[in-house]
Coordinates of all heavy atoms in Angstrom, one line a residue:
N67 N 139.7 -40.5 220.7 CA 140.8 -41.2 221.3 C 142.0 -41.0 220.6 O 142.1 -40.4 219.5 CB 140.5 -42.7 221.3 CG 140.4 -43.3 220.0 OD1 141.1 -43.0 219.0 ND2 139.4 -44.2 219.8
T68 N 143.1 -41.4 221.1 CA 144.5 -41.1 220.6 C 145.1 -42.4 219.9 O 146.2 -42.7 220.0 CB 145.4 -40.6 221.6 OG1 145.6 -41.6 222.7 CG2 144.9 -39.3 222.3
A69 N 144.1 -43.2 219.3 CA 144.6 -44.4 218.7 C 145.7 -44.2 217.7 O 145.7 -43.2 216.9 CB 143.4 -45.1 217.9
G70 N 146.6 -45.1 217.7 CA 147.8 -45.0 216.8 C 148.9 -44.2 217.2 O 150.0 -44.2 216.6
C71 N 148.9 -43.6 218.4 CA 149.9 -42.8 219.0 C 150.9 -43.8 219.7 O 150.5 -44.8 220.5 CB 149.4 -41.8 220.0 SG 148.4 -40.4 219.2
H72 N 152.2 -43.5 219.5 CA 153.2 -44.4 220.1 C 154.1 -43.6 221.0 O 155.2 -44.1 221.5 CB 154.1 -45.1 219.0 CG 153.3 -46.1 218.2 ND1 153.3 -47.5 218.5 CD2 152.4 -45.9 217.2 CE1 152.4 -48.1 217.6 NE2 151.9 -47.2 216.8
S73 N 153.8 -42.4 221.3 CA 154.7 -41.6 222.3 C 153.9 -40.6 223.1 O 152.8 -40.4 222.7 CB 155.8 -40.9 221.4 OG 155.2 -39.8 220.7
V74 N 154.4 -40.2 224.1 CA 153.7 -39.2 225.1 C 153.4 -37.9 224.1 O 152.2 -37.5 224.2 CB 154.6 -38.9 226.1 CG1 154.0 -37.7 227.0 CG2 154.8 -40.0 227.1
Q75 N 154.3 -37.4 223.4 CA 154.1 -36.2 222.6 C 153.0 -36.4 221.6 O 152.2 -35.5 221.4 CB 155.4 -35.6 222.1 CG 155.3 -34.2 221.5 CD 154.7 -33.3 222.6 OE1 155.3 -33.1 223.6 NE2 153.7 -32.6 222.3
E76 N 153.1 -37.6 220.9 CA 152.0 -37.8 219.9 C 150.6 -37.8 220.6 O 149.7 -37.2 220.0 CB 152.3 -39.2 219.3 CG 153.0 -39.2 218.0 CD 152.9 -40.6 217.3 OE1 153.3 -41.6 218.0 OE2 152.5 -40.7 216.1
A77 N 150.5 -38.5 221.7 CA 149.3 -38.5 222.3 C 148.7 -37.3 222.8 O 147.6 -36.9 222.7 CB 149.3 -39.6 223.5
I78 N 149.7 -36.4 223.4 CA 149.3 -35.1 224.0 C 148.8 -34.1 222.7 O 147.7 -33.6 222.8 CB 150.4 -34.5 224.7 CG1 150.7 -35.2 226.0 CG2 150.1 -33.0 224.9 CD1 151.9 -34.8 226.7
T79 N 149.5 -34.2 221.6 CA 149.2 -33.3 220.5 C 147.8 -33.7 219.9 O 147.0 -32.9 219.6 CB 150.3 -33.4 219.4 OG1 151.5 -32.9 220.0 CG2 149.9 -32.5 218.3
T80 N 147.6 -35.0 219.8 CA 146.4 -35.5 219.3 C 145.2 -35.2 220.2 O 144.1 -34.8 219.7 CB 146.5 -37.1 219.0 OG1 147.6 -37.4 218.2 CG2 145.1 -37.6 218.4
A81 N 145.4 -35.3 221.4 CA 144.3 -35.0 222.5 C 144.0 -33.5 222.3 O 142.8 -33.1 222.4 CB 144.9 -35.3 223.8
Q82 N 144.9 -32.7 222.2 CA 144.7 -31.2 222.1 C 144.0 -30.8 220.9 O 143.1 -30.1 220.9 CB 146.0 -30.5 222.3 CG 146.8 -30.5 223.5 CD 148.2 -30.0 223.6 OE1 148.9 -29.9 222.5 NE2 148.6 -29.6 224.7
M83 N 144.3 -31.5 219.8 CA 143.6 -31.3 218.5 C 142.2 -31.9 218.7 O 141.2 -31.2 218.1 CB 144.3 -32.2 217.4 CG 145.6 -31.6 217.0 SD 146.5 -32.6 215.8 CE 145.4 -32.7 214.4
A84 N 142.0 -32.9 219.2 CA 140.5 -33.5 219.5 C 139.7 -32.6 220.4 O 138.5 -32.5 220.1 CB 140.6 -34.9 220.1
R85 N 140.3 -32.0 221.3 CA 139.5 -30.9 222.2 C 139.1 -29.8 221.3 O 138.0 -29.3 221.5 CB 140.5 -30.5 223.3 CG 139.7 -29.6 224.2 CD 140.3 -29.5 225.6 NE 141.7 -29.0 225.6 CZ 142.4 -28.8 226.6 NH1 141.9 -29.1 227.9 NH2 143.6 -28.4 226.6
E86 N 139.8 -29.3 220.4 CA 139.5 -28.3 219.5 C 138.3 -28.7 218.7 O 137.4 -27.9 218.4 CB 140.7 -27.7 218.8 CG 141.7 -27.1 219.6 CD 142.9 -26.4 218.8 OE1 142.6 -26.3 217.6 OE2 144.0 -26.1 219.4
V87 N 138.5 -29.9 218.0 CA 137.5 -30.3 217.0 C 136.3 -30.6 217.6 O 135.1 -30.2 217.1 CB 138.0 -31.6 216.2 CG1 136.9 -32.2 215.5 CG2 139.3 -31.2 215.5
F88 N 136.2 -31.3 218.8 CA 134.9 -31.8 219.3 C 134.5 -31.1 220.5 O 133.4 -31.4 221.1 CB 135.1 -33.2 219.7 CG 135.4 -34.2 218.6 CD1 136.7 -34.8 218.5 CD2 134.4 -34.6 217.7 CE1 136.8 -35.7 217.5 CE2 134.6 -35.4 216.6 CZ 135.9 -36.0 216.5
D89 N 135.2 -30.1 221.0 CA 134.8 -29.2 222.1 C 134.5 -30.0 223.3 O 133.5 -29.9 223.9 CB 133.7 -28.3 221.7 CG 133.4 -27.3 222.7 OD1 134.3 -26.8 223.4 OD2 132.2 -26.8 222.9
T90 N 135.4 -31.0 223.7 CA 135.2 -31.8 224.9 C 136.6 -32.0 225.6 O 137.6 -32.1 224.9 CB 134.7 -33.1 224.5 OG1 134.5 -33.9 225.7 CG2 135.4 -33.8 223.5
N91 N 136.5 -32.1 226.8 CA 137.7 -32.4 227.7 C 137.9 -34.0 227.9 O 139.0 -34.3 228.4 CB 137.7 -31.7 229.1 CG 137.9 -30.2 228.9 OD1 138.7 -29.9 228.1 ND2 137.2 -29.5 229.8
W92 N 137.0 -34.7 227.3 CA 137.1 -36.2 227.4 C 138.1 -36.6 226.4 O 138.1 -36.2 225.3 CB 135.7 -36.8 227.1 CG 134.8 -36.9 228.3 CD1 134.8 -36.2 229.4 CD2 133.7 -37.7 228.4 NE1 133.8 -36.5 230.3 CE2 133.1 -37.5 229.8 CE3 133.1 -38.7 227.7 CZ2 131.9 -38.1 230.1 CZ3 132.1 -39.5 228.1 CH2 131.5 -39.2 229.5
I93 N 139.0 -37.6 226.8 CA 139.8 -38.2 225.9 C 140.2 -39.6 226.2 O 140.4 -39.9 227.4 CB 141.2 -37.4 225.8 CG1 142.1 -37.9 224.6 CG2 141.9 -37.5 227.0 CD1 141.5 -37.4 223.2
K94 N 140.0 -40.6 225.3 CA 140.4 -41.9 225.5 C 141.8 -42.0 225.2 O 142.2 -41.8 224.0 CB 139.6 -42.8 224.7 CG 140.1 -44.3 225.0 CD 139.4 -45.3 224.0 CE 140.1 -46.7 224.0 NZ 139.6 -47.6 222.9
L95 N 142.7 -42.3 226.1 CA 144.1 -42.2 225.9 C 144.7 -43.5 225.7 O 144.7 -44.5 226.4 CB 144.8 -41.5 227.2 CG 146.3 -41.4 227.2 CD1 146.7 -40.5 226.0 CD2 146.8 -40.9 228.6
E96 N 145.3 -43.6 224.5 CA 146.0 -44.8 224.0 C 147.4 -44.4 223.7 O 147.7 -43.5 222.9 CB 145.4 -45.4 222.8 CG 144.0 -45.9 223.0 CD 143.5 -46.6 221.7 OE1 144.2 -47.0 220.9 OE2 142.2 -46.6 221.5
V97 N 148.4 -45.1 224.3 CA 149.8 -45.0 223.9 C 150.4 -46.4 223.6 O 150.5 -47.2 224.6 CB 150.6 -44.2 225.0 CG1 152.1 -44.0 224.4 CG2 150.0 -42.9 225.4
I98 N 150.4 -46.8 222.4 CA 150.8 -48.1 222.1 C 152.2 -48.4 222.2 O 153.1 -47.6 221.7 CB 150.4 -48.4 220.7 CG1 148.8 -48.2 220.6 CG2 150.6 -49.8 220.3 CD1 148.0 -49.0 221.6
G99 N 152.6 -49.5 222.8 CA 154.0 -49.8 223.0 C 154.5 -51.1 222.3 O 155.7 -51.2 222.2
H100 N 153.6 -51.9 221.7 CA 154.0 -53.1 221.1 C 153.2 -53.2 219.8 O 151.9 -53.2 219.8 CB 153.8 -54.3 221.9 CG 154.4 -55.6 221.4 ND1 153.8 -56.4 220.6 CD2 155.6 -56.0 221.7 CE1 154.5 -57.4 220.3 NE2 155.8 -57.2 220.9
A101 N 153.9 -53.3 218.6 CA 153.2 -53.2 217.3 C 152.2 -54.4 217.1 O 151.3 -54.3 216.4 CB 154.2 -53.1 216.2
D102 N 152.6 -55.6 217.5 CA 151.9 -56.8 217.3 C 150.6 -56.9 218.2 O 149.5 -57.2 217.7 CB 152.8 -58.1 217.3 CG 153.8 -58.1 216.3 OD1 153.5 -57.6 215.1 OD2 154.8 -58.8 216.5
T103 N 150.8 -56.8 219.4 CA 149.8 -57.0 220.4 C 149.0 -55.8 220.6 O 147.9 -55.7 221.4 CB 150.3 -57.5 221.8 OG1 151.1 -56.5 222.4 CG2 151.1 -58.8 221.5
L104 N 149.5 -54.5 220.3 CA 148.9 -53.2 220.5 C 148.8 -53.1 222.1 O 147.9 -52.4 222.5 CB 147.6 -53.1 219.9 CG 147.6 -53.2 218.3 CD1 146.2 -52.9 217.8 CD2 148.6 -52.2 217.7
Q105 N 149.6 -53.7 222.8 CA 149.7 -53.6 224.3 C 150.1 -52.0 224.6 O 151.0 -51.5 224.0 CB 150.6 -54.5 224.9 CG 150.8 -54.4 226.4 CD 151.6 -55.4 227.1 OE1 151.6 -56.6 226.5 NE2 152.2 -55.1 228.2
P106 N 149.5 -51.5 225.6 CA 149.9 -50.1 225.9 C 151.2 -50.0 226.5 O 151.7 -51.0 227.2 CB 148.9 -49.7 227.0 CG 147.6 -50.7 226.8 CD 148.3 -52.0 226.4
D107 N 151.9 -48.9 226.2 CA 153.2 -48.5 226.8 C 152.8 -47.9 228.2 O 152.5 -46.7 228.1 CB 154.0 -47.6 225.9 CG 155.4 -47.2 226.5 OD1 155.6 -47.3 227.8 OD2 156.1 -46.7 225.9
V108 N 152.7 -48.7 229.2 CA 152.3 -48.2 230.6 C 153.1 -47.0 231.1 O 152.5 -46.2 231.8 CB 152.1 -49.3 231.5 CG1 151.0 -50.3 231.0 CG2 153.4 -50.0 231.8
F109 N 154.4 -47.0 230.8 CA 155.1 -45.9 231.3 C 154.8 -44.6 230.6 O 154.6 -43.5 231.3 CB 156.7 -46.2 231.1 CG 157.1 -47.6 231.6 CD1 157.2 -48.7 230.9 CD2 157.3 -47.7 233.1 CE1 157.6 -49.9 231.4 CE2 157.7 -49.0 233.7 CZ 157.8 -50.0 232.8
A110 N 154.7 -44.5 229.3 CA 154.4 -43.4 228.6 C 152.9 -43.1 228.8 O 152.5 -41.8 228.9 CB 154.5 -43.6 227.1
L111 N 152.0 -44.2 229.0 CA 150.6 -43.8 229.3 C 150.5 -43.1 230.6 O 149.7 -42.1 230.7 CB 149.9 -45.2 229.5 CG 148.4 -45.1 229.8 CD1 147.6 -44.6 228.6 CD2 147.9 -46.5 230.1
V112 N 151.2 -43.5 231.7 CA 151.1 -42.7 232.9 C 151.5 -41.3 232.7 O 151.0 -40.3 233.4 CB 151.9 -43.5 234.1 CG1 151.9 -42.6 235.3 CG2 151.2 -44.8 234.4
E113 N 152.6 -41.1 232.1 CA 153.2 -39.8 231.9 C 152.2 -38.9 231.1 O 151.9 -37.7 231.5 CB 154.5 -39.8 231.2 CG 155.2 -38.5 230.9 CD 155.5 -37.7 232.1 OE1 155.5 -38.2 233.3 OE2 155.9 -36.4 232.1
A114 N 151.6 -39.4 230.0 CA 150.7 -38.6 229.2 C 149.4 -38.4 229.9 O 148.9 -37.2 229.9 CB 150.3 -39.5 228.0
A115 N 148.9 -39.3 230.8 CA 147.8 -39.1 231.7 C 148.1 -37.9 232.7 O 147.2 -37.1 233.0 CB 147.4 -40.3 232.4
R116 N 149.2 -37.9 233.2 CA 149.6 -36.8 234.2 C 149.5 -35.4 233.5 O 149.0 -34.6 234.0 CB 151.0 -37.2 234.8 CG 151.4 -36.2 235.8 CD 152.8 -36.3 236.3 NE 153.8 -36.1 235.1 CZ 154.2 -34.9 234.7 NH1 153.7 -33.8 235.3 NH2 155.0 -34.8 233.7
I117 N 150.1 -35.4 232.3 CA 150.2 -34.0 231.6 C 148.8 -33.7 231.3 O 148.4 -32.5 231.3 CB 151.2 -34.2 230.4 CG1 152.7 -34.4 230.9 CG2 151.1 -32.9 229.6 CD1 153.6 -34.8 229.8
L118 N 148.1 -34.5 230.6 CA 146.7 -34.2 230.2 C 145.8 -33.8 231.3 O 145.0 -32.9 231.2 CB 146.2 -35.3 229.3 CG 146.8 -35.6 228.0 CD1 146.3 -36.8 227.3 CD2 146.7 -34.4 227.0
S119 N 145.9 -34.5 232.4 CA 144.9 -34.3 233.5 C 145.3 -32.9 234.0 O 144.4 -32.1 234.4 CB 145.2 -35.4 234.6 OG 144.8 -36.6 234.2
A120 N 146.6 -32.5 234.1 CA 147.0 -31.2 234.7 C 146.5 -30.0 233.7 O 146.3 -29.0 234.0 CB 148.5 -31.1 234.7
D121 N 146.2 -30.4 232.4 CA 145.8 -29.5 231.3 C 144.3 -29.5 231.3 O 143.7 -28.8 230.3 CB 146.4 -29.9 230.0 CG 146.2 -28.8 228.8 OD1 146.2 -27.7 229.3 OD2 146.1 -29.1 227.7
G122 N 143.7 -30.1 232.2 CA 142.1 -30.0 232.2 C 141.4 -31.1 231.5 O 140.2 -31.1 231.5
F123 N 142.1 -32.1 231.0 CA 141.5 -33.2 230.3 C 140.9 -34.1 231.4 O 141.4 -34.4 232.4 CB 142.4 -34.0 229.4 CG 142.7 -33.3 228.0 CD1 143.8 -32.4 228.0 CD2 141.9 -33.6 227.0 CE1 144.0 -31.8 226.8 CE2 142.2 -33.0 225.7 CZ 143.2 -32.0 225.7
Q124 N 139.8 -34.9 230.9 CA 139.3 -36.0 231.7 C 139.6 -37.2 231.0 O 139.1 -37.5 230.0 CB 137.6 -35.8 231.9 CG 137.4 -34.5 232.7 CD 135.9 -34.3 232.8 OE1 135.2 -34.4 231.9 NE2 135.5 -33.9 234.1
V125 N 140.6 -38.0 231.6 CA 141.3 -39.0 230.7 C 140.6 -40.4 231.1 O 140.5 -40.7 232.3 CB 142.8 -39.0 231.1 CG1 143.6 -40.2 230.4 CG2 143.4 -37.6 230.8
F126 N 140.5 -41.1 230.0 CA 140.0 -42.5 229.9 C 141.2 -43.4 229.5 O 141.3 -43.5 228.2 CB 138.8 -42.7 229.1 CG 137.5 -42.0 229.6 CD1 137.4 -40.6 229.5 CD2 136.4 -42.7 230.0 CE1 136.2 -39.9 229.9 CE2 135.3 -42.1 230.4 CZ 135.2 -40.7 230.3
P127 N 142.0 -43.9 230.3 CA 143.2 -44.6 229.9 C 143.0 -46.0 229.5 O 142.5 -46.9 230.2 CB 144.1 -44.5 231.1 CG 143.2 -44.5 232.2 CD 141.9 -43.8 231.9
Y128 N 143.3 -46.4 228.3 CA 143.4 -47.8 227.8 C 144.7 -48.4 228.3 O 145.7 -48.0 228.0 CB 143.4 -47.9 226.3 CG 143.8 -49.1 225.8 CD1 143.0 -50.3 226.1 CD2 145.0 -49.3 224.9 CE1 143.4 -51.5 225.5 CE2 145.4 -50.5 224.4 CZ 144.5 -51.7 224.7 OH 145.0 -52.9 224.2
T129 N 144.5 -49.3 229.3 CA 145.6 -49.9 230.1 C 145.6 -51.4 230.2 O 144.7 -52.1 229.7 CB 145.6 -49.2 231.5 OG1 146.8 -49.8 232.2 CG2 144.4 -49.6 232.3
T130 N 146.6 -52.0 230.8 CA 146.7 -53.4 231.1 C 145.8 -53.7 232.3 O 145.3 -52.7 233.0 CB 148.1 -53.9 231.2 OG1 148.7 -53.2 232.3 CG2 148.8 -53.6 230.0
D131 N 145.8 -54.9 232.7 CA 145.1 -55.3 234.0 C 146.1 -55.4 235.2 O 145.9 -56.2 236.0 CB 144.3 -56.6 233.7 CG 145.2 -57.7 233.2 OD1 146.4 -57.6 233.2 OD2 144.7 -58.6 232.6

Side-chain angles (χ1 to χ4, degrees):
N67 68 42
T68 62
C71 293
H72 292 262
S73 71
V74 172
Q75 191 54 56
E76 261 191 308
I78 291 171
T79 301
T80 302
Q82 292 170 337
M83 292 171 60
R85 180 160 62 181
E86 291 184 13
V87 171
F88 296 110
D89 190 28
T90 179
N91 287 324
W92 278 20
I93 192 72
K94 180 191 170 190
L95 181 60
E96 296 183 24
V97 186
I98 301 303
H100 192 275
D102 291 333
T103 65
L104 301 182
Q105 179 171 328
D107 179 341
V108 295
F109 305 101
L111 179 69
V112 170
E113 177 64 10
R116 182 187 63 79
I117 294 170
L118 290 172
S119 295
D121 191 28
F123 282 90
Q124 294 176 321
V125 179
F126 294 69
Y128 164 62
T129 183
T130 61
D131 49 21

